[in-house]
Amino acid sequence: MKLAVISDIHGNLLALQAVLADIARQGVDATVNLGDILSGPMQPAETADLLMAQDFPTIKGNHERQLLALLGQPEGDIDAATPDGYAATQVSEAHAAWISALPAVLELNADVWLCHGTPGSDLQYWMETVVPGFGQSGSPGVRAATAEEVADRLGSASHPVVLCGHTHVPRMVQSGGVLVVNPGSVGLPAFDDDHPYPHVVENGAPHARYAVLEKNRQGWRVELRAVPYDHLAQARVAARNQFPDWAHALATGFALRPA
């Protein structure tokens, strides 16, 4: 079995197209999508159209949940200056129906289980831990999770492979009998957040990320792939739409930090 894993596209159509072209050369049996699909200041509707046509096994991320909540509000109450709000002004009723029907978690088969954040929460980082002290001695406010933290967040998940996204960081950790794999983000290589403490997540390069997993006699072979695309064009789109933080992240792979 050979599987491509995409996640955290965030409406970045050019990055998605580049990744799908790369996947087409890998000879995979299936492609799965771990959520956070449309929210962002680029091409949410076009991204939805492409993925709906592909019909990959797909789950919701936290941004699908948040986007659907916004779509239930009066149009005048939607703030288009936020990633979810921008997407809410662009998507159609058909797009909303598609994401509404997506499950939050999914058992792909006896080997592979899909979630967005952790088995217990679409907002929890799995292989990273947010800590106080952002900016002190250059601290990004986030560190690699310990083996104990990874195991604790596993909960009752017991499939040999559990796939997650959310942090945008491509990583893999073996936790007991479970291999946890995050393919990284197709569409956004860096971001900042304030919860539970201020922090930044940065991959340091603007490439679109995804993973290829292949089962053989020895176990699972995992390849974390980084695909170049016209990231500067997407940075210009984000800048035109008044998202300077996204523009900087897309152009550089680093978060836009306060001066």
Side-chain angles (χ1 to χ4, degrees):
M1 178 184 183
K2 191 172 186 179
L3 184 67
V5 187
I6 60 176
S7 189
D8 298 277
I9 301 163
H10 284 284
N12 189 335
L13 181 66
L14 297 189
L16 176 61
Q17 290 171 330
V19 163
L20 293 183
D22 197 69
I23 290 172
R25 295 187 285 269
Q26 305 307 312
V28 302
D29 301 304
T31 298
V32 299
N33 178 2
L34 305 181
D36 279 10
I37 304 165
L38 306 180
S39 292
M42 291 165 285
Q43 299 92 13
E46 296 85 350
T47 298
D49 288 338
L50 176 55
L51 289 168
M52 289 168 69
Q54 296 289 333
D55 197 26
F56 299 138
T58 299
I59 61 173
K60 288 185 179 80
N62 59 292
H63 280 282
E64 278 68 61
R65 179 171 50 76
Q66 294 159 198
L67 175 57
L68 289 168
L70 283 180
L71 290 171
Q73 297 180 6
E75 187 173 339
D77 293 343
I78 297 174
D79 181 5
T82 68
D84 294 326
Y86 182 85
T89 67
Q90 303 297 308
V91 299
S92 69
E93 290 184 5
H95 300 145
W98 172 62
I99 62 174
S100 180
L102 299 175
V105 298
L106 180 66
E107 181 184 62
L108 185 67
N109 54 41
D111 285 327
V112 180
W113 194 78
L114 318 181
C115 64
H116 180 70
T118 66
S121 171
D122 63 11
L123 287 172
Q124 186 176 34
Y125 293 0
W126 198 336
M127 290 179 276
E128 288 74 34
T129 297
V130 178
V131 294
F134 171 67
Q136 296 177 13
S137 302
S139 170
V142 64
R143 59 164 173 78
T146 65
E148 292 76 15
E149 288 169 334
V150 171
D152 182 63
R153 295 164 191 171
L154 185 64
S156 60
S158 58
H159 287 65
V161 175
V162 177
L163 305 174
C164 68
H166 190 51
T167 66
H168 299 204
V169 179
R171 285 194 67 196
M172 53 186 287
V173 173
Q174 187 74 42
S175 184
V178 179
L179 179 64
V180 184
V181 180
N182 186 325
S185 172
V186 169
L188 184 61
F191 64 90
D192 67 278
D193 201 346
D194 291 328
H195 303 288
Y197 309 106
H199 63 280
V200 295
V201 174
E202 302 168 316
N203 281 307
H207 295 62
R209 312 296 179 117
Y210 81 101
V212 175
L213 285 72
E214 186 172 16
K215 187 179 182 181
N216 57 36
R217 292 179 182 177
Q218 287 75 41
W220 285 87
R221 179 179 181 271
V222 179
E223 183 178 2
L224 301 172
R225 295 184 63 83
V227 180
Y229 74 102
D230 193 353
H231 60 281
L232 293 178
Q234 292 295 64
R236 291 191 291 270
V237 171
R240 284 198 303 271
N241 289 330
Q242 306 301 310
F243 284 78
D245 52 342
W246 283 66
H248 183 84
L250 290 161
T252 66
F254 290 92
L256 181 61
R257 303 192 187 199

